Amino acid sequence: MKKGLLITISGPSGAGKGVIYNSIIERMPNIKKSISVTTRAPRAHEQEGVHYYYKTIEEYQEMIARGEFLETAAVYNNYYGTPKKPVFDMLEKGYDVMFEVDVIGAKQIKNKYPECVMIFVMTPDFTTLEARLRGRNSETEDSITTRLNSAARELAEYTYYDYIIFNDDIDKAIDEATAIITAEKRRVTRNEAHIISILESKKLR
Ligand code: 5GP
């Protein structure tokens, strides 16, 4: 497999990771989105192949059996997974790939590809997270409790992450995510082939 940069972005719902993810994709043309497969029903504005690939549980299980996932996890009673082939195709074309996945999925990707960069997005505190979830007016009391508990469980896994963004200002959070990715791209270890080719061109003269 070609060595592109793999980046995961995780964090509780309401922390703003979706907005950061979409802004990175817009700002950094070499980074491509990984479109996940899910068994949850599409929301009103969502489109097949744009937001997710929607499958029945049976179809999803067949994909697992055929070994088609890079990672897969159950989140809020539905399955979500990253199909391998599009990721390998994007890397083959020289792109970097970014995944919006839960903590379990991010850990699976990191286990397979330890050089992958894991970013966690959180609010500065739980009060802000709860206020954001309530502000959406779309969540039931039960769903708010589930999401807050799951946020605490995800944050408790902090030692697995490389970076954390405390999103108290979305523009600043997007700038921070951009800076993290830019710095990771410039690591010497990720640029050895380029450095050596420059050195070799010098020897030719
Ligand atoms: P939603 O249903 O709101 O679109 O997503 C719910 C959660 O599922 C989000 O927190 C998101 O990070 C996670 N998720 C989305 N796609 C994937 C995936 O392919 N793999 C894993 N492990 N989690 C995912």
Side-chain angles (χ1 to χ4, degrees), residues 18-162:
V19 177
I20 297 173
Y21 186 36
N22 288 327
S23 304
I24 291 292
I25 298 295
E26 266 177 36
R27 273 191 188 191
M28 305 182 99
N30 205 55
I31 300 181
K32 296 293 171 199
K33 246 186 188 181
S34 159
I35 313 285
S36 300
V37 177
T38 183
T39 58
R40 86 149 163 70
R43 294 179 184 136
H45 69 286
E46 288 181 350
Q47 283 172 285
E48 166 78 13
V50 176
H51 298 91
Y52 285 102
Y53 297 104
Y54 301 91
K55 302 282 180 202
T56 62
I57 293 186
E58 293 71 31
E59 288 168 335
Y60 195 94
Q61 281 167 344
E62 283 162 18
M63 288 183 74
I64 295 181
R66 290 195 298 265
E68 290 180 22
F69 286 113
L70 198 60
E71 60 77 32
T72 167
V75 188
Y76 308 136
N77 300 323
N78 288 298
Y79 288 110
Y80 293 82
T82 303
K84 273 182 199 166
K85 189 173 180 309
V87 175
F88 294 164
D89 289 349
M90 288 186 277
L91 290 172
E92 196 49 48
K93 287 182 188 149
Y95 292 115
D96 305 311
V97 185
M98 189 159 176
F99 311 86
E100 184 191 335
V101 290
D102 81 325
V103 173
I104 295 169
K107 279 158 76 175
Q108 291 175 45
I109 298 175
K110 185 83 170 180
N111 280 338
K112 284 186 188 140
Y113 303 105
E115 69 283 5
C116 137
V117 178
M118 286 172 70
I119 303 175
F120 193 81
V121 182
M122 182 55 191
T123 46
D125 50 52
F126 272 105
T127 315
T128 313
L129 187 63
E130 185 169 350
R132 285 203 199 146
L133 288 171
R134 290 190 187 284
R136 286 177 169 184
N137 282 330
S138 62
E139 314 292 338
T140 61
E141 245 349 271
D142 268 3
S143 142
I144 289 174
T145 308
T146 309
R147 279 159 204 263
L148 288 174
N149 288 339
S150 133
R153 271 196 304 275
E154 291 206 329
L155 183 60
E157 306 259 24
Y158 67 93
T159 53
Y160 287 96
Y161 284 88
D162 300 303

Side-chain angles (χ1 to χ4, degrees), residues 130-201:
E130 185 169 350
R132 285 203 199 146
L133 288 171
R134 290 190 187 284
R136 286 177 169 184
N137 282 330
S138 62
E139 314 292 338
T140 61
E141 245 349 271
D142 268 3
S143 142
I144 289 174
T145 308
T146 309
R147 279 159 204 263
L148 288 174
N149 288 339
S150 133
R153 271 196 304 275
E154 291 206 329
L155 183 60
E157 306 259 24
Y158 67 93
T159 53
Y160 287 96
Y161 284 88
D162 300 303
Y163 296 96
I164 187 157
I165 295 173
F166 298 109
N167 176 14
D168 55 354
D169 172 314
I170 191 63
D171 292 328
K172 185 167 130 272
I174 294 166
D175 284 346
E176 287 182 4
T178 310
I180 291 165
I181 296 169
T182 305
E184 285 289 339
K185 291 280 295 173
R186 294 280 67 80
R187 273 188 188 278
V188 163
T189 48
R190 297 193 203 278
N191 290 278
E192 272 184 295
H194 189 182
I195 296 169
I196 290 166
S197 82
I198 299 175
L199 281 173
E200 282 175 351
S201 71

